């Protein structure tokens, strides 16, 4: 509910509930809203307060304009009310006027939204897993066998007095159970809502056992017609159906109803994020209550973007995040968007992709933290992560955002060639400091530090060699380098040695690149990840093209992360097949050497390099010829057993 007309309508409902002409009451009268102030002194909780800009009925309140705040202050003075409360303002909106008027934010949790991006069961299976989905469906079936489900348009409530009375009684009992003396959903409040401008978009849902109502709530369709808000619901906890958790069972029923009605989302209101995730919520918007009270010191700080990293290139510090990406933390799901010049008549694909990927970042980091060798990842949050169009996009972004013409880039050949390629395209001088040692796994740290590069690229595990670098050398380089150290971990899931991702929280100059193209099997989704300090990810975002991470890719990533057991099982199979192939190739007469590998490929030196690669091509088998980097070698990806057998047969035919 983002319209001023809706706010005014709900202000009238609050006045009716309070039995007053103005929305003035103590904080303790506001039910769940008051929970955020439990640590305040008694005077703050009991002092008369003008509730403005919205009401406790709102899913959230738009941050009021300067004019609206001035009017609120004048009204409080005219009413001789010492406190002002603007509840449930979305964090990230422009709250300059609130701060200037002396209001102080108090954290109020998050509003939780379930986005319906497909059929309900498919969506929930991807988000909560098959087990939790089965539990939701079981509860829904059990409740549906015992109690009915009815929806009554609020404008027609006069014809259903039994529903009105039951709704009021259940909410009165709910308020008492939570320690409140008064329910904000009393008869006067409900009647005012039923005869106000929101009545045509609001309906009551009830569940009955015979004539006894065991659950009642309110649903309001958003003014953009794309979703529904669950304003409230109350349950008779003494009814036998309550053992199945009526709240949960009814939400599943509501998802089905919303999907059949062509709606895109269901707004669950405020709640515990971990619990709501288990119910399918995938958008969480932090909220603050804004309070002006005697004796509370207002904060005069203006809200700013986090400070950019000192490594940001000078031009990047003078430009903002481009276009709508600036508002990625201000969701638009419940607004009418007439700003994007898109076609409204051809379905969901006519909308631009979601820009707020904070929840997906949380899922990725939580999944990563559970993997072996990822200690310290739990200290990272969504601000440490940027999604890119594959890891190679991250390479280009960081060079564009963090290096200026003339500043050097160091690469350690043999290595992934696009580091050098993108540096030269951006006119950045490149210094090559080759790897050494029998397995090409030793860094010349002294030479790298002597070159004093702005950016040093390390590929670990290395492509095309397959080996890991010495972690002591990497640690020395990160600690002593004056520039940035970028570690590309595209293949790290195939290694049994630790990742460097957890180091990001402790080193301002470290960037770790990851991808879902390799071990996670999502090359087609084009999803790369940059892990770095927030000041670095903010700098990269200023040069990133908006909307590059499509909704289809986001859904694919969420699905794969939710079903990570399949991925881990596939990694184990690849490791086993890699080791088997390494043994067989090492004994093959066409092969001079197989390099050790902690990836999903093997670097192989051939006796008759040109002849063998030509024979493989003639047999319809494509391998990567890396002879220009490492003489007489090719890189062989580990395929399935059939593909690997075909490779061995083709090698034998080449002799």
């Amino acid at each position: 509910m983002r319209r001023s007309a809706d706010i005014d309508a709900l202000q009238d409902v609050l006045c009716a509930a309070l039995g007053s002409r103005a929305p003035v009451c103590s904080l303790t009268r506001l039910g769940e809203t008051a929970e955020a102030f439990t640590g305040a002194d008694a005077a703050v909780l009991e002092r008369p307060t003008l509730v403005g800009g919205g009401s406790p009925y709102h899913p959230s309140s738009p941050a009021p304009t300067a004019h609206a705040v001035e009017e609120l202050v004048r009204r409080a003075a005219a009413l001789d009310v010492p406190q002002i409360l603007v509840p449930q303002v979305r964090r990230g909106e422009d709250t300059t006027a609130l701060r200037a008027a002396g209001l102080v934010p108090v954290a109020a949790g998050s509003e939780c939204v379930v986005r319906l991006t497909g059929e309900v069961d498919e969506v929930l299976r991807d988000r909560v897993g098959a087990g939790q989905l089965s539990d939701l469906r079981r509860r829904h079936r059990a409740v549906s066998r015992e109690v009915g489900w009815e929806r009554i348009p609020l404008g027609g409530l006069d014809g259903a007095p039994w529903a009105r009375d039951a709704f009021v009684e259940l909410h009165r009992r709910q308020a008492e159970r939570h320690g409140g003396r008064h329910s904000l959903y009393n008869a006067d409040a409900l009647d005012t809502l039923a005869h106000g401008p929101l009545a045509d978009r609001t309906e009551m849902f009830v569940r009955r056992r015979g004539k006894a109502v065991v659950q009642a709530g309110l649903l309001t369709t958003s003014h953009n017609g794309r979703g529904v808000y669950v304003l409230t619901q109350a349950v008779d906890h003494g009814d036998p159906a309550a053992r199945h958790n009526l709240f949960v069972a009814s939400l599943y029923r509501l998802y089905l109803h919303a999907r059949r009605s062509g709606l895109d989302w269901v707004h669950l209101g405020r709640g515990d994020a971990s619990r709501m995730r288990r119910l399918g919520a995938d958008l969480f918007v932090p909220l603050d209550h804004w309070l002006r009270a005697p004796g509370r010191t207002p904060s005069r700080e203006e809200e700013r973007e986090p400070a950019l990293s000192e490594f940001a290139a000078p031009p990047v510090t003078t430009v903002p995040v481009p276009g709508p990406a600036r508002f990625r933390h201000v969701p638009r799901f419940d607004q009418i968007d007439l700003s994007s010049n898109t076609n409204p008549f051809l379905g969901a694909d006519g909308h631009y992709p979601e820009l707020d990927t904070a929840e997906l970042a949380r899922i990725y980091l939580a999944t990563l933290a559970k993997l072996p060798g990822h200690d310290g990842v739990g200290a990272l949050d969504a601000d440490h992560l940027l999604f890119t169009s594959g890891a190679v996009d991250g390479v280009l972004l960081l060079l564009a955002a963090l290096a200026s013409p003339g500043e050097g880039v160091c690469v350690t050949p043999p290595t992934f060639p696009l580091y050098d390629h993108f540096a030269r395209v951006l006119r950045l001088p490149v210094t090559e400091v080759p790897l050494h040692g029998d397995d090409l796994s030793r860094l010349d740290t002294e030479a790298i530090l002597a070159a004093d590069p702005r950016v040093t690229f390390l590929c670990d595990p290395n492509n095309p060699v397959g080996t890991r670098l010495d972690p002591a050398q990497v640690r020395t380089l990160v600690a002593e380098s004056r520039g940035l150290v970028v570690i590309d971990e595209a293949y790290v899931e195939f290694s049994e040695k630790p990742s460097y991702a957890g180091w990001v929280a402790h080193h301002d100059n470290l960037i770790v690149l990851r991808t879902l193209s390799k071990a996670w099997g999502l090359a087609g989704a084009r999803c790369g990840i940059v892990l770095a300090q927030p000041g670095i990810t903010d700098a990269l975002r200023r040069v990133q093209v908006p909307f590059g991470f499509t909704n289809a890719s986001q859904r694919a990533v969420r699905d794969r992360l939710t079903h990570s057991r399949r991925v881990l099982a596939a990694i184990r199979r690849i490791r086993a097949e890699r080791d088997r192939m390494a043994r067989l190739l090492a004994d093959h007469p066409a092969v001079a050497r197989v390099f050790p590998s902690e990836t999903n490929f093997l670097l192989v030196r051939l006796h008759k390099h040109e002849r063998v690669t030509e024979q493989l091509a003639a047999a319809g088998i494509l391998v990567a010829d890396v002879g220009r980097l490492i003489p007489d070698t090719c890189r062989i990806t580990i395929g399935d057993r059939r593909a690997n057998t075909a490779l061995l047969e083709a090698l034998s035919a080449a002799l």
Side-chain angles (χ1 to χ4, degrees), residues 295-326:
R296 292 180 71 92
T297 304
S299 170
R300 295 293 181 180
E301 292 183 3
E302 295 182 3
E303 293 183 333
R304 298 185 179 92
E305 287 286 321
L308 286 186
S309 167
E310 62 178 324
F311 294 103
V316 174
T317 65
T318 64
V319 296
V321 174
R326 291 196 302 274

Side-chain angles (χ1 to χ4, degrees), residues 563-582:
H563 300 96
S564 59
R565 289 183 181 178
R566 291 171 50 207
V567 176
L568 299 180
I571 290 172
R572 288 192 293 269
R573 291 179 63 187
I574 288 173
R575 285 176 177 171
E577 189 66 6
R578 176 193 67 197
D579 295 343
R580 185 184 78 90
M581 285 295 292

